Amino acid sequence: MTEDVWKAFAENEITHSGAHHLLAIHDLVSDRGYARVTDVARFLDITTGSASTNLKSLKSRGLVEEDDNKFLKLTSKGQKLAQAILTKRKILREFFTSVLGVASDQAEIDACKTEHLLSMETTSKMAKFAGSRTN
């Protein structure tokens, strides 16, 4: 069992970079009504080529669509995944600050680093534990 645990990392639904690209599209469409590859690149402070390469992978996995006018949008699967990532980030940030006493800036960084790695089961139990400690 222990020897196979490291393999579970490769089975994650999305990479850290992929999560950021999904959330960039989510935020851009929410704030501005549209997102293009150049907007995502600017939002993430990366090159357009890098954004394009990462978005190609998300498109092939059915998480992002691009129309004839080069506007990006999350598919329903991509939207669900983005919401799950945002939920996990919120729960982790709250756990780190309220239970562990981590400063809010550091809690945001650590939540961002781990949001796509933890299972919903673990995240939900952290939320329940944090709630029982702060009520």
Side-chain angles (χ1 to χ4, degrees):
M1 168 81 178
T2 305
E3 297 83 29
D4 293 331
V5 171
W6 70 271
K7 292 178 184 176
F9 185 82
E11 296 169 6
N12 285 334
E13 192 166 7
I14 194 159
T15 64
H16 184 78
S17 177
H20 277 276
H21 282 70
L22 280 183
L23 295 179
I25 295 168
H26 176 273
D27 289 351
L28 287 164
V29 171
S30 293
D31 293 345
R32 297 166 33 171
Y34 66 92
R36 298 166 303 188
V37 174
T38 55
D39 301 317
V40 171
R42 200 172 308 117
F43 188 88
L44 297 174
D45 196 25
I46 60 175
T47 66
T48 302
S50 198
S52 182
T53 299
N54 287 311
L55 290 167
K56 183 177 180 181
S57 171
L58 296 175
K59 288 180 209 172
S60 72
R61 294 183 51 220
L63 300 170
V64 173
E65 294 175 340
E66 185 174 13
D67 68 17
D68 293 338
N69 295 311
K70 305 294 184 191
F71 290 110
L72 302 167
K73 75 173 193 172
L74 300 179
T75 63
S76 60
K77 183 179 173 184
Q79 187 66 35
K80 287 178 188 171
L81 184 53
Q83 280 306 131
I85 292 166
L86 290 170
T87 298
K88 285 180 183 182
R89 182 185 290 179
K90 180 181 178 206
I91 291 168
L92 289 166
R93 187 175 52 241
E94 290 175 4
F95 181 83
F96 295 152
T97 56
S98 66
V99 175
L100 301 179
V102 174
S104 61
D105 288 348
Q106 188 61 49
E108 179 65 32
I109 291 167
D110 292 341
C112 177
K113 287 179 181 178
T114 56
E115 67 203 3
H116 61 289
L117 298 173
L118 291 179
S119 68
M120 274 311 293
E121 177 187 3
T122 299
T123 309
S124 295
K125 289 185 179 191
M126 289 175 80
K128 186 176 179 181
F129 180 80
S132 71
R133 301 257 316 183
T134 57
N135 290 336

